[in-house]
């Protein structure tokens, strides 16, 4: 959103926490506890002291929507290990002036996301239109009919969007809102009058050409999400369930993992766009591991280790049994690598990789 690295984001959140603007930052949770839900009106009430958020905070308090928050999906004690989700404290506003512009924007995002949960869902009206037109005649004199489909949606009730959207976006939409609303209403009213087999006049034809595009490169933010949701790549349902909610690393370590990969020159990070690309060294290491200890590249290995730790916690196996299996895995893999004779294969891989990095 702001083109900042996960490591910098953590530092900003830590600064906000130390200035008493937000709650404890090093958490994996995305929900609140029932205890916090009972006192949540205090956080909301405090935000009335910020002119930008005063109307939203007052509306929430007046409507009483916060009173039933404990019964929603935003509150779940079972999904909290140590700390609940990051939310604004409703205090510490004297420190806002000392924040740099980026930190101030991050704080605003946290506040908007927090206030959004007390608003209803946005409501859209979806319109689908299928039209047929003759495109030719066959030998029997029958017309060829071609189907043309059109669809769009119109925002009926903004719900949480009126607080979740950024000020800049709200301003831009406000400038064009009258025109957009009128056009949408006119279209909807005319479409309501249409019936099956009605004939429409074709005003114009145009052909839009396009090409399929490859997936976008990872940036620091999307790679963090990929690490968090690494379990989605696992086919085995039991193992996938085991790694669900944990993934690769934790919320406190994923940023540091990326930072280490960059510092070791295994990946290249564009500081301006936060786009991540592999380095030549990183590709070489990937191929070495893939041709020697391939399970290390598969999240299923992490899931199986997590499964073993769960068994230890449940008392199904002892800690000594778990460590013995882990030690056995390491020994077998190390001996297998020592007996490999794949230098020529690796050299071929390296030569192919180097072709992509010639200056």
């Amino acid at each position: 959103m702001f083109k900042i690295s996960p490591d910098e984001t953590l530092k900003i959140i830590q600064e906000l926490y130390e200035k008493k603007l937000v709650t404890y930052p090093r958490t994996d949770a995305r929900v609140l506890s029932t205890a916090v839900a009972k006192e949540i009106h205090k956080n909301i009430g405090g935000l009335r002291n910020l002119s930008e958020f005063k109307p939203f905070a007052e509306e929430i308090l007046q409507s009483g929507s916060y009173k039933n928050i404990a019964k929603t999906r935003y509150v779940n004690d079972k999904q909290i290990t140590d700390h609940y989700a990051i939310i604004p404290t409703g205090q510490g506003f004297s420190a806002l002036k000392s924040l740099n512009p980026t930190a101030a924007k991050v704080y605003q995002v946290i506040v908007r996301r927090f206030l959004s949960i007390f608003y209803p869902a946005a409501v859209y009206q979806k319109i689908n239109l299928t039209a047929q037109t003759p495109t030719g005649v066959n030998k029997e004199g029958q017309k060829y009919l071609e189907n043309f489909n059109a669809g769009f949606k119109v925002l009926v009730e903004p719900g949480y969007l009126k607080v979740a959207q950024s000020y800049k976006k709200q301003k831009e939409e406000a400038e064009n809102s009258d025109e957009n609303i009128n056009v949408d209403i006119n279209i909807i009213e005319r479409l309501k009058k249409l019936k099956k087999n009605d004939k429409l006049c074709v005003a114009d034809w145009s052909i839009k050409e396009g090409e399929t595009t490859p997936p976008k490169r990872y940036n620091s933010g999307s790679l963090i999400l990929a690490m968090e949701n690494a379990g989605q790549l696992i086919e085995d349902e039991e193992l996938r369930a085991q790694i669900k909610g944990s993934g690769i690393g934790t919320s406190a370590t994923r940023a540091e993992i990326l930072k280490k990969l960059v510092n070791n020159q295994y990946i290249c990070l564009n500081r301006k766009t936060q786009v991540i690309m592999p380095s030549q060294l990183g590709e070489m290491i990937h191929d070495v591991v893939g041709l020697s200890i391939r399970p290390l590249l598969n999240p299923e290995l992490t899931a199986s280790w997590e499964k073993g730790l769960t068994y230890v916690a449940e008392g199904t196996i002892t800690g000594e049994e778990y460590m013995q299996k882990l030690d056995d895995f390491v020994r077998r893999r190390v001996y297998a690598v020592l007996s490999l004779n794949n230098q020529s294969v690796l050299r071929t891989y390296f030569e192919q990789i180097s072709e992509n990095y010639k200056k």
Side-chain angles (χ1 to χ4, degrees), residues 245-261:
S246 56
I248 299 173
T250 68
S251 60
T253 62
R254 290 182 189 117
E256 192 63 32
I257 291 172
L258 286 187
K259 183 179 179 181
K260 187 173 184 179
L261 291 174

Side-chain angles (χ1 to χ4, degrees), residues 87-107:
I87 60 173
T89 60
Q91 304 173 18
F93 302 129
S94 60
L96 285 175
K97 294 181 181 179
S98 64
L99 297 178
N100 63 50
T102 303
K105 290 177 182 177
V106 171
Y107 176 70

Side-chain angles (χ1 to χ4, degrees), residues 125-129 150-154 183-184 187-188 191:
Q125 184 169 4
K126 192 173 182 180
I127 307 294
N128 289 302
L129 177 68
F152 63 95
K153 61 181 182 179
V154 180
V183 170
D184 290 344
I187 292 175
I188 292 173
L191 289 175

Side-chain angles (χ1 to χ4, degrees), residues 58 69 80 87 108 117 119 169 186 240 248 256 324:
E58 288 184 341
I69 193 67
I80 300 173
I87 60 173
Q108 288 181 355
I117 70 174
Y119 279 82
K169 187 172 182 181
N186 289 333
R240 185 167 62 245
I248 299 173
E256 192 63 32
Q324 184 177 352

Side-chain angles (χ1 to χ4, degrees), residues 16 34 36 89 93 101 111 114 135 207 245 279 313 322:
L16 296 177
T34 52
V36 171
T89 60
F93 302 129
V111 174
F114 169 68
T135 56
I207 298 176
S279 67
Y322 175 78

